[in-house]
Amino acid sequence: EAARLVHDLPVEGAREALGKLTEKAGAPEPLLRRALASRYRLGRPEDALALASLAGRAGVADSLRVEALEYLNHWAKPSGRDPVVGLWRPLPARDAEPARVAIRTHLGALLASPATVRSAAVQAATSLGIKDLAPALVELALEKSLGATARVEALEALFSLDANRFETVREKALADSEAKVRAKALGLAARRDAQKTLPLLEKALASGTLLEKQ
């Protein structure tokens, strides 16, 4: 109830105390959502680090971890609408660097997280232009134990961040056992070098799966 009072009313002078509750183990979800939103509104480098820390923490609900990463994703250009209560509470544009530093700091934990959290981390890193994520994305794109969707997301992020490094996984992705991965690799390869990819496109049209033909 105190968290609702501070965030929903709001009570600006108490936001910092509410934000610190992101560090509290076992806090209920409604409280943590408001603590995350307070960190986002405060917008200091230490708040970005706290958001990334919670996103990488095992034992916290995946939905909250994803929410923390979405805050980092939109750190530089915050939405004017409060994500908890839906009221119009605009924030000014701000430097994206604290969000980049926060994700880099907790990158290992984020990439070792469940698929939904890992996907949100990759999306945030791609949106923020974190180039040094590329080596980890190469490993994810080729990791057979991951589902096809996760490998596709890794390919897309790798292409967006470092198209040259995409070439290092291109051939293996085009020969992947999953049609979804092959189709994505084919599309990205065509964007990279249409002329070089033309024979592969013709082959896909002739004998590929429906997804590859599309």
mmCIF file of all heavy atoms in Angstrom, residues 86-105:
data_model
loop_
_atom_site.group_PDB
_atom_site.id
_atom_site.type_symbol
_atom_site.label_atom_id
_atom_site.label_comp_id
_atom_site.label_asym_id
_atom_site.label_seq_id
_atom_site.Cartn_x
_atom_site.Cartn_y
_atom_site.Cartn_z
ATOM 1 N N GLY A 86 -0.942 4.058 -16.137
ATOM 2 C CA GLY A 86 -1.465 4.518 -17.414
ATOM 3 C C GLY A 86 -1.698 6.016 -17.526
ATOM 4 O O GLY A 86 -2.243 6.477 -18.532
ATOM 5 N N LEU A 87 -1.294 6.781 -16.537
ATOM 6 C CA LEU A 87 -1.486 8.233 -16.587
ATOM 7 C C LEU A 87 -0.374 8.887 -17.407
ATOM 8 O O LEU A 87 0.706 8.329 -17.580
ATOM 9 C CB LEU A 87 -1.500 8.810 -15.169
ATOM 10 C CG LEU A 87 -2.631 8.323 -14.263
ATOM 11 C CD1 LEU A 87 -2.465 8.896 -12.855
ATOM 12 C CD2 LEU A 87 -3.988 8.723 -14.837
ATOM 13 N N TRP A 88 -0.645 10.091 -17.906
ATOM 14 C CA TRP A 88 0.334 10.830 -18.710
ATOM 15 C C TRP A 88 1.316 11.528 -17.776
ATOM 16 O O TRP A 88 0.981 12.493 -17.094
ATOM 17 C CB TRP A 88 -0.385 11.837 -19.599
ATOM 18 C CG TRP A 88 0.533 12.505 -20.575
ATOM 19 C CD1 TRP A 88 0.966 13.797 -20.561
ATOM 20 C CD2 TRP A 88 1.151 11.912 -21.727
ATOM 21 N NE1 TRP A 88 1.818 14.039 -21.613
ATOM 22 C CE2 TRP A 88 1.949 12.906 -22.343
ATOM 23 C CE3 TRP A 88 1.103 10.630 -22.281
ATOM 24 C CZ2 TRP A 88 2.683 12.657 -23.496
ATOM 25 C CZ3 TRP A 88 1.843 10.379 -23.422
ATOM 26 C CH2 TRP A 88 2.619 11.388 -24.021
ATOM 27 N N ARG A 89 2.538 11.032 -17.727
ATOM 28 C CA ARG A 89 3.585 11.575 -16.864
ATOM 29 C C ARG A 89 4.888 11.607 -17.664
ATOM 30 O O ARG A 89 5.784 10.779 -17.468
ATOM 31 C CB ARG A 89 3.762 10.719 -15.611
ATOM 32 C CG ARG A 89 2.567 10.770 -14.667
ATOM 33 C CD ARG A 89 2.735 9.819 -13.499
ATOM 34 N NE ARG A 89 1.635 9.952 -12.554
ATOM 35 C CZ ARG A 89 1.423 9.119 -11.532
ATOM 36 N NH1 ARG A 89 2.240 8.100 -11.341
ATOM 37 N NH2 ARG A 89 0.408 9.300 -10.714
ATOM 38 N N PRO A 90 5.001 12.516 -18.619
ATOM 39 C CA PRO A 90 6.149 12.512 -19.539
ATOM 40 C C PRO A 90 7.485 12.734 -18.842
ATOM 41 O O PRO A 90 7.570 13.413 -17.825
ATOM 42 C CB PRO A 90 5.830 13.660 -20.495
ATOM 43 C CG PRO A 90 4.884 14.535 -19.753
ATOM 44 C CD PRO A 90 4.083 13.639 -18.868
ATOM 45 N N LEU A 91 8.508 12.119 -19.421
ATOM 46 C CA LEU A 91 9.889 12.287 -18.975
ATOM 47 C C LEU A 91 10.696 12.869 -20.127
ATOM 48 O O LEU A 91 10.406 12.589 -21.293
ATOM 49 C CB LEU A 91 10.495 10.937 -18.573
ATOM 50 C CG LEU A 91 9.980 10.292 -17.284
ATOM 51 C CD1 LEU A 91 10.467 8.846 -17.204
ATOM 52 C CD2 LEU A 91 10.462 11.077 -16.075
ATOM 53 N N PRO A 92 11.742 13.653 -19.849
ATOM 54 C CA PRO A 92 12.572 14.185 -20.934
ATOM 55 C C PRO A 92 13.454 13.110 -21.550
ATOM 56 O O PRO A 92 13.733 12.078 -20.921
ATOM 57 C CB PRO A 92 13.426 15.248 -20.215
ATOM 58 C CG PRO A 92 13.505 14.763 -18.795
ATOM 59 C CD PRO A 92 12.190 14.103 -18.513
ATOM 60 N N ALA A 93 13.896 13.343 -22.784
ATOM 61 C CA ALA A 93 14.880 12.450 -23.410
ATOM 62 C C ALA A 93 16.181 12.507 -22.597
ATOM 63 O O ALA A 93 16.501 13.527 -21.982
ATOM 64 C CB ALA A 93 15.128 12.887 -24.848
ATOM 65 N N ARG A 94 16.930 11.414 -22.597
ATOM 66 C CA ARG A 94 18.161 11.386 -21.811
ATOM 67 C C ARG A 94 19.195 10.487 -22.488
ATOM 68 O O ARG A 94 18.890 9.753 -23.425
ATOM 69 C CB ARG A 94 17.872 10.907 -20.384
ATOM 70 C CG ARG A 94 17.091 9.608 -20.304
ATOM 71 C CD ARG A 94 16.455 9.426 -18.943
ATOM 72 N NE ARG A 94 15.720 8.181 -18.851
ATOM 73 C CZ ARG A 94 14.917 7.854 -17.842
ATOM 74 N NH1 ARG A 94 14.759 8.685 -16.832
ATOM 75 N NH2 ARG A 94 14.286 6.701 -17.829
ATOM 76 N N ASP A 95 20.420 10.568 -21.990
ATOM 77 C CA ASP A 95 21.543 9.825 -22.563
ATOM 78 C C ASP A 95 21.337 8.318 -22.405
ATOM 79 O O ASP A 95 20.959 7.841 -21.334
ATOM 80 C CB ASP A 95 22.822 10.276 -21.857
ATOM 81 C CG ASP A 95 24.073 9.653 -22.459
ATOM 82 O OD1 ASP A 95 23.985 9.088 -23.566
ATOM 83 O OD2 ASP A 95 25.132 9.729 -21.812
ATOM 84 N N ALA A 96 21.595 7.558 -23.470
ATOM 85 C CA ALA A 96 21.417 6.106 -23.432
ATOM 86 C C ALA A 96 22.600 5.382 -22.797
ATOM 87 O O ALA A 96 22.495 4.186 -22.498
ATOM 88 C CB ALA A 96 21.210 5.574 -24.851
ATOM 89 N N GLU A 97 23.718 6.068 -22.579
ATOM 90 C CA GLU A 97 24.927 5.381 -22.112
ATOM 91 C C GLU A 97 24.752 4.639 -20.795
ATOM 92 O O GLU A 97 25.267 3.510 -20.651
ATOM 93 C CB GLU A 97 26.087 6.376 -22.007
ATOM 94 C CG GLU A 97 27.454 5.741 -21.739
ATOM 95 C CD GLU A 97 27.862 4.702 -22.796
ATOM 96 O OE1 GLU A 97 27.366 4.754 -23.943
ATOM 97 O OE2 GLU A 97 28.680 3.832 -22.453
ATOM 98 N N PRO A 98 24.046 5.177 -19.781
ATOM 99 C CA PRO A 98 23.863 4.397 -18.549
ATOM 100 C C PRO A 98 23.177 3.055 -18.792
ATOM 101 O O PRO A 98 23.525 2.055 -18.149
ATOM 102 C CB PRO A 98 22.986 5.316 -17.684
ATOM 103 C CG PRO A 98 23.310 6.693 -18.153
ATOM 104 C CD PRO A 98 23.517 6.554 -19.638
ATOM 105 N N ALA A 99 22.239 3.010 -19.734
ATOM 106 C CA ALA A 99 21.568 1.745 -20.052
ATOM 107 C C ALA A 99 22.537 0.781 -20.722
ATOM 108 O O ALA A 99 22.522 -0.431 -20.441
ATOM 109 C CB ALA A 99 20.359 1.999 -20.949
ATOM 110 N N ARG A 100 23.394 1.292 -21.603
ATOM 111 C CA ARG A 100 24.397 0.441 -22.258
ATOM 112 C C ARG A 100 25.353 -0.148 -21.227
ATOM 113 O O ARG A 100 25.658 -1.349 -21.251
ATOM 114 C CB ARG A 100 25.189 1.247 -23.286
ATOM 115 C CG ARG A 100 24.389 1.715 -24.486
ATOM 116 C CD ARG A 100 25.300 2.270 -25.565
ATOM 117 N NE ARG A 100 24.550 2.958 -26.589
ATOM 118 C CZ ARG A 100 24.423 4.281 -26.680
ATOM 119 N NH1 ARG A 100 25.053 5.070 -25.819
ATOM 120 N NH2 ARG A 100 23.707 4.820 -27.634
ATOM 121 N N VAL A 101 25.840 0.698 -20.346
ATOM 122 C CA VAL A 101 26.782 0.237 -19.310
ATOM 123 C C VAL A 101 26.127 -0.819 -18.435
ATOM 124 O O VAL A 101 26.741 -1.845 -18.092
ATOM 125 C CB VAL A 101 27.251 1.438 -18.455
ATOM 126 C CG1 VAL A 101 28.016 0.954 -17.224
ATOM 127 C CG2 VAL A 101 28.118 2.373 -19.285
ATOM 128 N N ALA A 102 24.869 -0.608 -18.081
ATOM 129 C CA ALA A 102 24.154 -1.540 -17.205
ATOM 130 C C ALA A 102 24.021 -2.910 -17.856
ATOM 131 O O ALA A 102 24.258 -3.947 -17.217
ATOM 132 C CB ALA A 102 22.781 -0.971 -16.863
ATOM 133 N N ILE A 103 23.651 -2.948 -19.133
ATOM 134 C CA ILE A 103 23.487 -4.234 -19.818
ATOM 135 C C ILE A 103 24.834 -4.922 -19.989
ATOM 136 O O ILE A 103 24.956 -6.134 -19.797
ATOM 137 C CB ILE A 103 22.775 -4.040 -21.166
ATOM 138 C CG1 ILE A 103 21.303 -3.719 -20.903
ATOM 139 C CG2 ILE A 103 22.904 -5.286 -22.045
ATOM 140 C CD1 ILE A 103 20.480 -3.495 -22.144
ATOM 141 N N ARG A 104 25.872 -4.156 -20.343
ATOM 142 C CA ARG A 104 27.199 -4.766 -20.459
ATOM 143 C C ARG A 104 27.644 -5.364 -19.129
ATOM 144 O O ARG A 104 28.224 -6.450 -19.083
ATOM 145 C CB ARG A 104 28.223 -3.711 -20.897
ATOM 146 C CG ARG A 104 28.138 -3.299 -22.357
ATOM 147 C CD ARG A 104 29.371 -2.517 -22.753
ATOM 148 N NE ARG A 104 29.221 -1.887 -24.050
ATOM 149 C CZ ARG A 104 28.969 -0.591 -24.234
ATOM 150 N NH1 ARG A 104 28.838 0.212 -23.178
ATOM 151 N NH2 ARG A 104 28.852 -0.094 -25.456
ATOM 152 N N THR A 105 27.382 -4.660 -18.041
ATOM 153 C CA THR A 105 27.817 -5.106 -16.712
ATOM 154 C C THR A 105 27.197 -6.442 -16.334
ATOM 155 O O THR A 105 27.842 -7.293 -15.710
ATOM 156 C CB THR A 105 27.452 -4.044 -15.653
ATOM 157 O OG1 THR A 105 28.094 -2.809 -15.995
ATOM 158 C CG2 THR A 105 27.904 -4.465 -14.265
#
